[in-house]
């Protein structure tokens, strides 16, 4: 049987990583089985749904590489069909009109609470006679439509959690159409999933109680019940449901941090699914081949931002400088750097040097700053260690003179730079480190950077001289 799966987000905010993982798992199964992956925007809650959110969700899904089959479905466009099915249920006696007012229901709820009774709907309108119903409708009284929960129990074999059942006695006669004639989620989902041909529903654990009700609707309509699997939640490191409080929680935020889409995809797959061995890095194609529902964990997964950064760093390091340029552009543009400079071979070389020292694209862009701009400040601990020595000023002056005497060609040859700097130190009876550290601080403002000889090449004669001169001026003011 060919599988049809779907992802059905409500457009009330960004795409949360939990939702993204649900989408990914559905997509993987669809692509693996040659089935379909459909997208339905559940926009029936007019107060909370926005077009902006829909666009953000679509953009995050595209960025993650999750393509859907056919057009996007919008749940609100199907209201007439939801109501048609509600009428069918009414006609078949599987649902009934409930004329209880909000105030009456509230009062019943309050009384039940006082008496510590269960707060389910008491069934007042369940057994109205046809005449009573006619009399009320003739008076134009508004009514909601309630589903008549039958006796018995709901059973389903959850593909992740195993057999599940619930006694129908514990379920309310739930509303399927509100008194303002808007269909309720439970009904809309069942009708849409049925009409779209969805035969496998994979969604979050928080929907288990909905599944019970939805199965009752499928049965009442004599429709085939799809397979169901419920994914355990994603928690933060404090074991609470992952949210903004834990830092980034949406796909959009990770994207803006400079996480690769492949890395987030890969990380989210391992969050709640295990490949069965120690391997951690997988391409999308490999995941399509290896993914299987029976290796989805039953227990909640903890989102570990450090692990994601680690994984992202692996993806970063695996790309060449040329491949990284298009990814880096937005971050460099944000910093105001022009695109022309990006073709400079020295810049590409710096990317190679810095990519292994960076975990995200944003961090890499920060680490490329030294190519574009002279340091405006110096690390305090570096100043203490390398700029406040007795010979610091002399050393910088001599370095300036030394570099000034070199030809432009010298700055193209990293091994010549190394030999010359070592000789420079030896001549003055200094260890190479005694020269390298202050020079690094002058060129970058930092105490840590890629190798100094490579750095002199990257920065080039003109900027080397400017930066040493700036450090000299800074030192003069210090003393
Ligand atoms: N729209 C629901 C949500 O965003 C999901 C519905 C479903 O997957 O059945 O939580």
């Amino acid at each position: 049987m060919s599988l049809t799966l779907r992802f059905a987000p409500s457009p009330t905010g960004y795409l949360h990583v939990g939702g993204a993982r649900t989408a990914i798992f559905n997509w993987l199964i669809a692509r693996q089985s040659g089935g379909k992956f459909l997208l339905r925007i559940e926009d029936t809650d007019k107060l909370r749904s926005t077009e902006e959110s829909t666009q953000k969700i679509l953009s995050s899904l595209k960025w993650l590489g999750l393509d859907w089959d056919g057009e996007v479905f919008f749940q609100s466009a199907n209201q007439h069909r939801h109501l048609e099915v509600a009428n069918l249920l009414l006609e078949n006696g599987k649902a009934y009109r409930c004329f209880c007012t909000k105030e009456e229901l509230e009062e019943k709820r309050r009384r039940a609470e006082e008496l510590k009774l269960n707060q389910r709907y008491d069934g007042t309108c369940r057994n109205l006679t046809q005449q009573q119903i006619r009399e009320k409708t003739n008076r134009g009284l508004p009514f909601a439509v309630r589903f008549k929960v039958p006796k018995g129990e709901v059973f389903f074999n959850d593909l992740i959690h195993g057999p599940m059942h619930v006694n129908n006695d514990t379920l309310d006669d739930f509303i399927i159409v509100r008194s303002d004639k808007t269909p309720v989620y439970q009904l809309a989902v069942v009708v849409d999933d049925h009409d779209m041909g969805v035969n496998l529903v994979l969604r979050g654990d928080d929907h288990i109680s909905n599944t019970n009700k939805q199965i009752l609707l499928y049965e009442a309509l004599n429709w085939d019940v799809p397979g169901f699997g419920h994914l355990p939640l994603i928690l933060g490191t404090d074991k609470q449901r992952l949210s903004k409080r834990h830092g980034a929680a949406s796909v959009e935020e990770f994207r803006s941090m400079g996480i690769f889409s492949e890395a987030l995809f890969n990380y989210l797959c391992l969050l709640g699914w295990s490949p069965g061995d120690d391997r951690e890095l997988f391409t999308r194609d490999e995941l399509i081949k290896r993914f299987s529902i029976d290796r989805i964990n039953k227990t909640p997964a903890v989102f570990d931002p450090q692990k994601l950064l680690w994984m992202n760093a692996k993806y970063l390091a695996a790309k060449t400088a040329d491949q990284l340029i298009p990814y880096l552009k937005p971050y460099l543009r944000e910093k105001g750097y022009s695109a022309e400079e990006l073709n400079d071979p020295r810049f590409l070389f710096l990317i190679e040097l810095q990519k292994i020292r960076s975990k995200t694209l944003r961090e890499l862009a920060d680490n490329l700053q030294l190519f574009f701009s002279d340091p405006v400040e110096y690390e305090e601990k570096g100043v203490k260690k390398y700029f406040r020595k007795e010979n610091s000023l002399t050393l910088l002056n001599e370095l300036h003179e030394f570099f000034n005497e070199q030809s432009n060609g010298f700055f193209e040859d990293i091994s010549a730079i190394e030999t010359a700097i070592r000789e420079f130190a030896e001549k003055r009876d200094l260890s190479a480190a005694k020269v390298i550290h202050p020079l690094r601080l002058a060129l970058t403002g930092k105490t840590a950077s890629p190798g100094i000889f490579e750095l002199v090449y990257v920065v080039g004669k003109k900027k080397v001289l400017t930066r040493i001169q700036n450090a000299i001026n800074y030192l003069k003011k210090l003393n």
Side-chain angles (χ1 to χ4, degrees), residues 6-12 22 40-42 75 185 189 193 201-204 206-207 210 214:
R6 47 60 161 192
F7 178 52
S10 303
T12 54
T22 299
R40 182 172 72 235
I41 300 291
E42 302 209 316
Q75 189 156 63
Y185 161 76
V189 168
D193 280 342
V201 174
L202 210 56
R203 57 186 174 188
D206 45 340
H207 285 287
N210 292 329
Q214 291 166 18

Side-chain angles (χ1 to χ4, degrees), residues 211-276:
T211 298
N212 294 323
K213 295 177 182 166
Q214 291 166 18
I215 288 177
L216 289 176
L217 285 173
Y218 279 103
E219 288 171 349
L221 288 159
N222 263 326
W223 288 347
D224 286 341
V225 181
F228 284 98
H230 294 89
L231 302 166
L233 290 179
I234 298 182
L235 306 179
T237 37
D238 59 357
K239 303 281 154 69
Q240 299 298 311
R241 193 176 180 157
L242 186 74
S243 74
K244 275 217 171 305
R245 280 185 304 110
H246 299 96
S250 70
V251 171
E252 191 53 40
E253 283 165 295
F254 287 108
R255 179 183 184 175
S256 138
M257 270 168 65
I259 298 289
F260 284 102
S261 118
E262 303 99 294
L264 187 60
F265 191 109
N266 188 160
Y267 179 70
L268 289 177
C269 281
L270 295 190
L271 203 61
W273 171 78
S274 137

Side-chain angles (χ1 to χ4, degrees), residues 82-100:
H82 305 147
L83 296 176
E84 183 183 294
V85 173
N87 278 330
L88 196 70
L89 288 167
L90 275 175
E91 278 164 26
N92 294 345
K94 304 280 172 77
Y96 59 91
R97 294 172 178 81
C98 173
F99 296 90
C100 296

Side-chain angles (χ1 to χ4, degrees), residues 54-69:
T54 298
Q55 290 313 322
K56 281 189 174 138
I57 291 172
L58 298 185
S59 138
S60 291
L61 290 172
K62 280 186 204 150
W63 179 74
L64 279 169
L66 302 177
D67 52 345
W68 52 88
D69 297 301

Side-chain angles (χ1 to χ4, degrees), residues 119-137:
Q119 295 179 19
R120 273 179 274 131
Y121 177 61
D122 65 357
T124 305
C125 296
R126 205 183 219 251
N127 300 314
L128 293 180
T129 60
Q130 285 307 320
Q131 196 183 339
Q132 286 169 314
I133 296 171
R134 216 170 308 123
E135 185 263 320
K136 285 177 192 289
T137 35

Side-chain angles (χ1 to χ4, degrees), residues 3-169:
L3 292 177
T4 299
L5 300 102
R6 47 60 161 192
F7 178 52
S10 303
T12 54
Y14 289 96
L15 180 59
H16 185 275
V17 287
R21 189 192 59 174
T22 299
I24 291 173
F25 285 8
N26 277 289
W27 182 86
L28 285 172
I29 294 168
R31 294 296 169 256
Q32 173 179 75
S33 66
K36 279 195 212 138
F37 174 68
L38 308 178
L39 179 60
R40 182 172 72 235
I41 300 291
E42 302 209 316
D43 57 345
T44 45
D45 182 344
K46 284 288 164 226
L47 287 178
R48 295 175 61 229
S49 304
T50 66
E51 170 61 20
E52 187 192 357
S53 164
T54 298
Q55 290 313 322
K56 281 189 174 138
I57 291 172
L58 298 185
S59 138
S60 291
L61 290 172
K62 280 186 204 150
W63 179 74
L64 279 169
L66 302 177
D67 52 345
W68 52 88
D69 297 301
E71 299 290 316
V72 181
F73 291 81
F74 288 89
Q75 189 156 63
S76 60
N78 270 345
Q79 275 208 9
H80 64 284
R81 169 73 180 140
H82 305 147
L83 296 176
E84 183 183 294
V85 173
N87 278 330
L88 196 70
L89 288 167
L90 275 175
E91 278 164 26
N92 294 345
K94 304 280 172 77
Y96 59 91
R97 294 172 178 81
C98 173
F99 296 90
C100 296
T101 63
K102 219 175 173 179
E103 292 71 32
E104 283 165 351
L105 291 172
E106 182 52 33
E107 176 57 24
K108 282 179 194 173
R109 200 197 54 78
R110 210 186 43 74
R111 237 180 300 139
E113 195 174 17
E114 250 171 41
L115 298 172
K116 301 216 171 353
L117 297 172
N118 78 50
Q119 295 179 19
R120 273 179 274 131
Y121 177 61
D122 65 357
T124 305
C125 296
R126 205 183 219 251
N127 300 314
L128 293 180
T129 60
Q130 285 307 320
Q131 196 183 339
Q132 286 169 314
I133 296 171
R134 216 170 308 123
E135 185 263 320
K136 285 177 192 289
T137 35
N138 285 347
R139 274 167 54 206
L141 292 184
F143 60 86
V145 179
R146 281 187 191 271
F147 178 69
K148 199 184 272 180
V149 172
K151 290 250 165 287
E153 63 169 17
V154 182
F155 169 86
F156 70 97
N157 196 6
D158 190 293
L159 292 166
I160 295 159
H161 294 281
M164 309 279 263
H165 46 90
V166 59
N167 195 315
N168 295 358
D169 286 348

